[in-house]
Amino acid sequence: MSSIRLAIVGLGKIARDQHLQAIEATDGIDLVAVASRNAKLDGVHCFPDIDALLAADVEVDAVSLCTPPQGRFEQARAALLAGKHVMLEKPPGATIAEVFALDQLARQQGVSLFATWHSREAAAVEPARQMLADRTVRSLHVEWKEDVRHWHPGQDWIWEPGGLGVFDPGINALSIVTRIMPESFHLVASNLSFPANRAAPIAADLEFMTASGVKLTAAFDWRQTGPQTWDIRVETDRGSIVLTHGGSRLFVDGEAQIVEEDREYRNLYRHFVSLVTSGQSDTDFSPLVHVADAFMLGRRHEVEAFED
Protein backbone atom coordinates (compact mmCIF):
# COMPACT_ATOMS: atom_id res chain seq x y z
CA MET A 1 0.00 0.00 0.00
CA SER A 2 1.02 3.65 -0.34
CA SER A 3 2.31 5.65 2.59
CA ILE A 4 -0.09 5.78 5.55
CA ARG A 5 -1.64 9.23 5.97
CA LEU A 6 -1.58 9.92 9.71
CA ALA A 7 -3.25 12.45 11.98
CA ILE A 8 -2.13 13.19 15.53
CA VAL A 9 -4.78 14.07 18.08
CA GLY A 10 -3.31 16.02 20.98
CA LEU A 11 -0.23 18.13 20.26
CA GLY A 12 1.12 18.30 23.80
CA LYS A 13 4.42 17.48 25.44
CA ILE A 14 4.61 13.79 24.51
CA ALA A 15 3.66 14.46 20.89
CA ARG A 16 6.29 17.17 20.50
CA ASP A 17 8.99 15.36 22.50
CA GLN A 18 8.60 11.95 20.87
CA HIS A 19 5.94 11.42 18.20
CA LEU A 20 6.79 14.12 15.67
CA GLN A 21 10.44 13.12 15.36
CA ALA A 22 9.60 9.41 15.24
CA ILE A 23 7.06 9.88 12.45
CA GLU A 24 9.51 11.92 10.43
CA ALA A 25 12.12 9.16 10.79
CA THR A 26 9.75 6.32 9.81
CA ASP A 27 9.26 5.12 6.24
CA GLY A 28 5.75 4.34 5.11
CA ILE A 29 3.91 6.95 7.19
CA ASP A 30 3.34 10.68 6.70
CA LEU A 31 1.84 13.22 9.09
CA VAL A 32 -0.93 15.08 7.24
CA ALA A 33 -3.09 16.53 10.02
CA VAL A 34 -3.22 17.55 13.67
CA ALA A 35 -6.19 17.99 15.98
CA SER A 36 -5.48 20.06 19.08
CA ARG A 37 -7.43 22.59 21.13
CA ASN A 38 -4.44 24.79 21.90
CA ALA A 39 -1.74 24.19 19.29
CA LYS A 40 -1.09 24.13 15.57
CA LEU A 41 1.68 22.71 13.42
CA ASP A 42 3.04 24.30 10.26
CA GLY A 43 2.77 22.33 7.05
CA VAL A 44 -0.23 20.12 7.95
CA HIS A 45 -3.99 20.51 8.22
CA CYS A 46 -4.98 21.68 11.72
CA PHE A 47 -8.29 21.15 13.49
CA PRO A 48 -9.60 22.01 16.97
CA ASP A 49 -10.70 18.45 17.76
CA ILE A 50 -11.10 14.95 16.33
CA ASP A 51 -14.72 15.53 15.31
CA ALA A 52 -13.69 18.41 13.06
CA LEU A 53 -10.84 16.31 11.69
CA LEU A 54 -13.06 13.38 10.81
CA ALA A 55 -15.71 15.64 9.26
CA ALA A 56 -13.20 17.46 7.05
CA ASP A 57 -12.38 16.69 3.44
CA VAL A 58 -8.86 15.54 4.30
CA GLU A 59 -7.65 12.04 3.46
CA VAL A 60 -6.55 10.33 6.66
CA ASP A 61 -5.87 6.60 7.04
CA ALA A 62 -4.83 6.44 10.69
CA VAL A 63 -5.00 8.39 13.92
CA SER A 64 -2.43 8.51 16.72
CA LEU A 65 -4.05 9.53 20.01
CA CYS A 66 -1.64 11.48 22.22
CA THR A 67 -4.29 12.89 24.56
CA PRO A 68 -4.69 12.10 28.27
CA PRO A 69 -6.44 8.77 28.96
CA GLN A 70 -9.57 10.43 30.32
CA GLY A 71 -11.87 11.01 27.36
CA ARG A 72 -9.71 9.02 24.96
CA PHE A 73 -12.33 6.29 24.57
CA GLU A 74 -14.71 8.64 22.75
CA GLN A 75 -11.92 9.82 20.47
CA ALA A 76 -10.77 6.29 19.64
CA ARG A 77 -14.33 5.12 19.12
CA ALA A 78 -15.03 7.96 16.68
CA ALA A 79 -11.88 7.18 14.70
CA LEU A 80 -12.60 3.45 14.55
CA LEU A 81 -16.19 4.01 13.45
CA ALA A 82 -14.83 6.26 10.71
CA GLY A 83 -12.70 3.37 9.48
CA LYS A 84 -9.38 4.74 10.70
CA HIS A 85 -6.55 2.67 12.13
CA VAL A 86 -5.77 3.81 15.67
CA MET A 87 -2.58 4.03 17.70
CA LEU A 88 -3.00 4.62 21.45
CA GLU A 89 -0.38 6.35 23.58
CA LYS A 90 0.11 4.64 26.94
CA PRO A 91 -1.86 4.01 29.06
CA PRO A 92 -4.37 2.83 26.42
CA GLY A 93 -7.35 4.09 28.41
CA ALA A 94 -8.74 5.14 31.74
CA THR A 95 -10.49 1.81 32.49
CA ILE A 96 -10.12 -1.85 31.63
CA ALA A 97 -13.61 -2.20 30.17
CA GLU A 98 -13.18 0.63 27.69
CA VAL A 99 -9.97 -0.68 26.16
CA PHE A 100 -11.46 -4.12 25.65
CA ALA A 101 -14.47 -2.45 24.03
CA LEU A 102 -12.13 -0.64 21.63
CA ASP A 103 -10.39 -3.91 20.81
CA GLN A 104 -13.72 -5.51 19.91
CA LEU A 105 -14.81 -2.49 17.87
CA ALA A 106 -11.57 -2.49 15.87
CA ARG A 107 -12.13 -6.13 14.99
CA GLN A 108 -15.69 -5.40 13.91
CA GLN A 109 -14.55 -2.49 11.76
CA GLY A 110 -11.68 -4.44 10.22
CA VAL A 111 -9.04 -1.87 11.14
CA SER A 112 -5.84 -2.02 13.18
CA LEU A 113 -5.64 -1.02 16.84
CA PHE A 114 -2.23 -0.62 18.47
CA ALA A 115 -2.00 -0.25 22.25
CA THR A 116 1.56 1.02 22.56
CA TRP A 117 4.04 0.40 25.37
CA HIS A 118 7.07 2.46 24.42
CA SER A 119 9.31 1.07 27.18
CA ARG A 120 9.04 -2.40 25.66
CA GLU A 121 10.92 -0.99 22.67
CA ALA A 122 13.97 -0.09 24.77
CA ALA A 123 17.12 -1.82 23.55
CA ALA A 124 17.66 -4.20 26.49
CA VAL A 125 14.12 -5.54 26.79
CA GLU A 126 14.12 -8.27 24.13
CA PRO A 127 17.65 -9.50 24.97
CA ALA A 128 16.63 -9.73 28.64
CA ARG A 129 13.50 -11.65 27.66
CA GLN A 130 15.54 -14.15 25.68
CA MET A 131 18.01 -14.64 28.56
CA LEU A 132 15.27 -15.20 31.12
CA ALA A 133 13.59 -17.79 28.93
CA ASP A 134 16.58 -20.08 29.60
CA ARG A 135 16.99 -19.29 33.31
CA THR A 136 15.08 -19.84 36.53
CA VAL A 137 13.97 -16.53 38.02
CA ARG A 138 14.41 -16.38 41.80
CA SER A 139 13.31 -12.79 42.41
CA LEU A 140 12.64 -9.54 40.60
CA HIS A 141 12.60 -5.99 41.95
CA VAL A 142 11.58 -2.78 40.20
CA GLU A 143 12.74 0.64 41.38
CA TRP A 144 11.08 3.37 39.30
CA LYS A 145 11.52 6.76 40.93
CA GLU A 146 11.45 10.19 39.32
CA ASP A 147 10.54 13.83 39.84
CA VAL A 148 7.00 14.55 38.69
CA ARG A 149 7.69 18.30 38.63
CA HIS A 150 10.28 17.75 35.91
CA TRP A 151 8.38 15.27 33.73
CA HIS A 152 4.80 16.52 34.13
CA PRO A 153 4.89 20.24 34.94
CA GLY A 154 1.41 21.69 35.24
CA GLN A 155 -0.34 18.56 33.97
CA ASP A 156 -3.25 18.31 36.39
CA TRP A 157 -4.92 15.46 34.49
CA ILE A 158 -2.42 12.96 35.90
CA TRP A 159 -3.77 13.60 39.41
CA GLU A 160 -7.42 13.07 38.46
CA PRO A 161 -9.30 9.72 38.39
CA GLY A 162 -8.10 7.84 35.32
CA GLY A 163 -4.83 9.78 35.19
CA LEU A 164 -3.06 7.03 37.20
CA GLY A 165 -0.73 9.28 39.20
CA VAL A 166 2.61 7.57 39.79
CA PHE A 167 1.41 4.65 37.68
CA ASP A 168 1.71 6.87 34.61
CA PRO A 169 5.48 6.13 34.68
CA GLY A 170 5.10 2.97 36.75
CA ILE A 171 3.10 1.30 34.01
CA ASN A 172 6.21 1.59 31.83
CA ALA A 173 8.03 -0.69 34.24
CA LEU A 174 5.09 -3.08 34.33
CA SER A 175 5.06 -3.17 30.54
CA ILE A 176 8.68 -4.34 30.60
CA VAL A 177 8.17 -6.90 33.36
CA THR A 178 5.12 -8.43 31.67
CA ARG A 179 7.23 -8.77 28.53
CA ILE A 180 10.41 -10.27 29.98
CA MET A 181 9.02 -12.61 32.65
CA PRO A 182 8.77 -16.22 31.41
CA GLU A 183 5.60 -16.83 33.46
CA SER A 184 2.58 -14.77 34.44
CA PHE A 185 2.18 -13.14 37.84
CA HIS A 186 -0.54 -11.59 39.95
CA LEU A 187 -0.74 -8.89 42.60
CA VAL A 188 -0.84 -9.91 46.27
CA ALA A 189 -0.23 -6.60 48.08
CA SER A 190 -0.50 -2.91 47.23
CA ASN A 191 0.34 0.12 49.39
CA LEU A 192 -0.52 3.45 47.82
CA SER A 193 0.45 6.91 49.06
CA PHE A 194 -1.94 9.74 48.12
CA PRO A 195 -1.23 13.44 48.62
CA ALA A 196 -3.96 15.00 50.72
CA ASN A 197 -5.09 17.19 47.82
CA ARG A 198 -4.92 14.67 44.96
CA ALA A 199 -7.09 11.82 43.64
CA ALA A 200 -4.19 9.69 42.33
CA PRO A 201 -1.17 8.24 44.17
CA ILE A 202 2.26 9.81 44.30
CA ALA A 203 3.96 6.56 45.41
CA ALA A 204 3.23 2.84 45.38
CA ASP A 205 4.80 -0.32 46.79
CA LEU A 206 3.61 -3.53 45.16
CA GLU A 207 4.17 -7.23 45.67
CA PHE A 208 3.41 -9.86 43.05
CA MET A 209 3.64 -13.64 42.96
CA THR A 210 4.02 -16.04 40.06
CA ALA A 211 2.18 -19.35 39.84
CA SER A 212 5.40 -21.12 40.80
CA GLY A 213 5.86 -18.94 43.89
CA VAL A 214 8.45 -16.41 42.70
CA LYS A 215 8.16 -13.04 44.46
CA LEU A 216 8.25 -9.82 42.45
CA THR A 217 8.31 -6.38 44.06
CA ALA A 218 8.03 -2.84 42.75
CA ALA A 219 8.62 0.58 44.29
CA PHE A 220 7.26 3.59 42.41
CA ASP A 221 7.77 7.14 43.64
CA TRP A 222 7.25 10.57 42.10
CA ARG A 223 9.12 12.52 44.76
CA GLN A 224 12.71 11.73 43.79
CA THR A 225 14.97 14.66 43.03
CA GLY A 226 18.45 14.54 41.53
CA PRO A 227 19.32 11.48 39.42
CA GLN A 228 16.24 9.55 38.30
CA THR A 229 15.91 5.80 38.76
CA TRP A 230 14.38 3.37 36.26
CA ASP A 231 15.83 -0.03 37.18
CA ILE A 232 14.70 -3.66 37.06
CA ARG A 233 16.88 -6.22 38.85
CA VAL A 234 16.35 -9.94 38.27
CA GLU A 235 18.14 -12.64 40.26
CA THR A 236 18.30 -16.00 38.54
CA ASP A 237 19.88 -19.40 39.03
CA ARG A 238 22.73 -18.20 36.79
CA GLY A 239 23.38 -14.75 38.23
CA SER A 240 21.84 -11.31 37.91
CA ILE A 241 20.27 -9.50 34.97
CA VAL A 242 19.73 -5.77 35.45
CA LEU A 243 17.99 -3.31 33.16
CA THR A 244 18.66 0.37 33.86
CA HIS A 245 17.79 3.73 32.30
CA GLY A 246 14.27 2.55 31.52
CA GLY A 247 15.43 -0.59 29.74
CA SER A 248 18.01 0.95 27.41
CA ARG A 249 20.97 -0.58 29.26
CA LEU A 250 21.59 -4.21 30.21
CA PHE A 251 24.04 -5.58 32.77
CA VAL A 252 24.66 -9.28 33.25
CA ASP A 253 26.48 -10.17 36.47
CA GLY A 254 27.61 -6.55 36.68
CA GLU A 255 29.05 -6.42 33.17
CA ALA A 256 27.56 -3.99 30.64
CA GLN A 257 26.09 -5.81 27.64
CA ILE A 258 23.91 -3.17 25.96
CA VAL A 259 24.06 0.61 26.14
CA GLU A 260 21.83 2.15 23.49
CA GLU A 261 20.27 5.48 22.60
CA ASP A 262 16.51 6.04 22.69
CA ARG A 263 14.75 4.52 19.67
CA GLU A 264 11.52 3.57 21.40
CA TYR A 265 9.03 5.69 19.48
CA ARG A 266 10.68 5.07 16.12
CA ASN A 267 10.25 1.35 16.81
CA LEU A 268 6.60 1.92 17.74
CA TYR A 269 5.82 3.65 14.47
CA ARG A 270 7.64 1.03 12.43
CA HIS A 271 5.52 -1.59 14.15
CA PHE A 272 2.35 0.42 13.52
CA VAL A 273 3.16 0.58 9.80
CA SER A 274 3.65 -3.18 9.82
CA LEU A 275 0.34 -3.76 11.63
CA VAL A 276 -1.64 -1.57 9.26
CA THR A 277 0.04 -3.07 6.20
CA SER A 278 -0.69 -6.64 7.33
CA GLY A 279 -4.18 -5.89 8.66
CA GLN A 280 -3.37 -6.87 12.24
CA SER A 281 -3.74 -5.38 15.73
CA ASP A 282 -1.55 -5.42 18.83
CA THR A 283 -3.61 -5.04 22.00
CA ASP A 284 -1.86 -6.40 25.06
CA PHE A 285 -3.54 -4.68 28.00
CA SER A 286 -1.81 -6.68 30.77
CA PRO A 287 0.16 -3.71 32.24
CA LEU A 288 -3.08 -1.77 32.69
CA VAL A 289 -4.70 -4.82 34.31
CA HIS A 290 -1.95 -4.88 36.95
CA VAL A 291 -2.46 -1.17 37.64
CA ALA A 292 -6.19 -1.71 38.04
CA ASP A 293 -5.49 -4.52 40.49
CA ALA A 294 -3.19 -2.20 42.47
CA PHE A 295 -6.06 0.25 42.91
CA MET A 296 -8.51 -2.53 43.81
CA LEU A 297 -6.25 -4.09 46.46
CA GLY A 298 -4.47 -0.93 47.50
CA ARG A 299 -4.17 0.17 51.08
CA ARG A 300 -4.38 3.94 51.02
CA HIS A 301 -1.93 6.09 53.01
CA GLU A 302 -2.25 9.87 53.05
CA VAL A 303 0.91 11.97 52.79
CA GLU A 304 1.59 15.69 52.66
CA ALA A 305 -0.26 17.85 50.14
CA PHE A 306 1.46 18.21 46.77
CA GLU A 307 2.00 21.50 44.97
CA ASP A 308 3.38 21.54 41.43
Side-chain angles (χ1 to χ4, degrees), residues 142-204:
V142 175
E143 191 171 356
W144 220 259
K145 299 179 179 181
E146 60 184 53
D147 185 354
V148 64
R149 293 179 176 89
H150 174 78
W151 299 102
H152 295 278
Q155 295 182 12
D156 288 338
W157 64 265
I158 58 176
W159 298 109
E160 298 300 323
L164 303 189
V166 75
F167 287 106
D168 180 75
I171 204 170
N172 294 332
L174 293 173
S175 73
I176 294 176
V177 176
T178 51
R179 181 62 181 167
I180 67 175
M181 275 295 293
E183 62 175 329
S184 63
F185 52 91
H186 62 278
L187 188 74
V188 296
S190 171
N191 290 294
L192 308 179
S193 297
F194 285 75
N197 58 343
R198 302 293 184 175
I202 197 168

Side-chain angles (χ1 to χ4, degrees), residues 37-90:
R37 290 180 300 174
N38 303 312
K40 293 184 178 181
L41 188 67
D42 292 340
V44 302
H45 300 280
C46 296
F47 302 92
D49 54 44
I50 191 170
D51 292 331
L53 166 68
L54 295 175
D57 187 21
V58 175
E59 294 293 333
V60 172
D61 304 307
V63 172
S64 181
L65 294 178
C66 304
T67 52
Q70 305 98 322
R72 195 185 294 159
F73 173 81
E74 289 78 10
Q75 297 170 337
R77 180 177 181 274
L80 293 171
L81 288 174
K84 312 303 181 186
H85 309 285
V86 173
M87 178 171 170
L88 300 171
E89 177 58 77
K90 66 86 190 173

Side-chain angles (χ1 to χ4, degrees), residues 14-307:
I14 191 64
R16 292 186 180 277
D17 288 353
Q18 298 289 351
H19 288 258
L20 295 182
Q21 300 93 319
I23 294 165
E24 186 176 1
T26 303
D27 294 332
I29 194 165
D30 295 316
L31 182 64
V32 300
V34 164
S36 174
R37 290 180 300 174
N38 303 312
K40 293 184 178 181
L41 188 67
D42 292 340
V44 302
H45 300 280
C46 296
F47 302 92
D49 54 44
I50 191 170
D51 292 331
L53 166 68
L54 295 175
D57 187 21
V58 175
E59 294 293 333
V60 172
D61 304 307
V63 172
S64 181
L65 294 178
C66 304
T67 52
Q70 305 98 322
R72 195 185 294 159
F73 173 81
E74 289 78 10
Q75 297 170 337
R77 180 177 181 274
L80 293 171
L81 288 174
K84 312 303 181 186
H85 309 285
V86 173
M87 178 171 170
L88 300 171
E89 177 58 77
K90 66 86 190 173
T95 72
I96 297 295
E98 69 182 36
V99 294
F100 280 105
L102 292 176
D103 188 24
Q104 183 177 19
L105 180 58
R107 297 175 191 276
Q108 293 171 350
Q109 293 294 107
V111 293
S112 299
L113 179 65
F114 183 23
T116 68
W117 302 107
H118 67 84
S119 290
R120 286 184 175 177
E121 300 299 330
V125 173
E126 284 306 306
R129 179 173 178 261
Q130 295 170 11
M131 291 180 184
L132 292 177
D134 295 327
R135 301 185 183 208
T136 299
V137 176
R138 291 177 174 165
S139 67
L140 180 148
H141 178 65
V142 175
E143 191 171 356
W144 220 259
K145 299 179 179 181
E146 60 184 53
D147 185 354
V148 64
R149 293 179 176 89
H150 174 78
W151 299 102
H152 295 278
Q155 295 182 12
D156 288 338
W157 64 265
I158 58 176
W159 298 109
E160 298 300 323
L164 303 189
V166 75
F167 287 106
D168 180 75
I171 204 170
N172 294 332
L174 293 173
S175 73
I176 294 176
V177 176
T178 51
R179 181 62 181 167
I180 67 175
M181 275 295 293
E183 62 175 329
S184 63
F185 52 91
H186 62 278
L187 188 74
V188 296
S190 171
N191 290 294
L192 308 179
S193 297
F194 285 75
N197 58 343
R198 302 293 184 175
I202 197 168
D205 291 295
L206 308 178
E207 182 180 332
F208 302 89
M209 194 71 69
T210 70
S212 64
V214 177
K215 182 178 179 180
L216 317 179
T217 56
F220 303 145
D221 202 319
W222 249 352
R223 298 166 295 188
Q224 178 151 305
T225 58
Q228 311 287 274
T229 304
W230 301 292
D231 298 343
I232 299 173
R233 175 175 294 276
V234 189
E235 298 298 335
T236 79
D237 61 334
R238 291 159 52 191
S240 67
I241 295 175
V242 180
L243 294 85
T244 70
H245 294 74
S248 62
R249 301 183 184 184
L250 178 67
F251 295 82
V252 178
D253 294 330
E255 296 292 328
Q257 302 292 318
I258 295 174
V259 178
E260 290 282 350
E261 66 177 21
D262 177 13
R263 297 190 181 94
E264 296 174 11
Y265 278 84
R266 281 175 281 176
N267 291 341
L268 288 179
Y269 275 98
R270 280 197 291 268
H271 187 41
F272 188 46
V273 170
S274 175
L275 290 172
V276 172
T277 303
S278 61
Q280 298 179 331
S281 290
D282 186 344
T283 53
D284 177 13
F285 301 128
S286 57
L288 185 61
V289 171
H290 288 301
V291 171
D293 285 352
F295 278 95
M296 290 178 66
L297 292 182
R299 294 184 176 181
R300 179 178 180 130
H301 306 278
E302 194 166 286
V303 296
E304 70 281 356
F306 176 82
E307 298 297 335

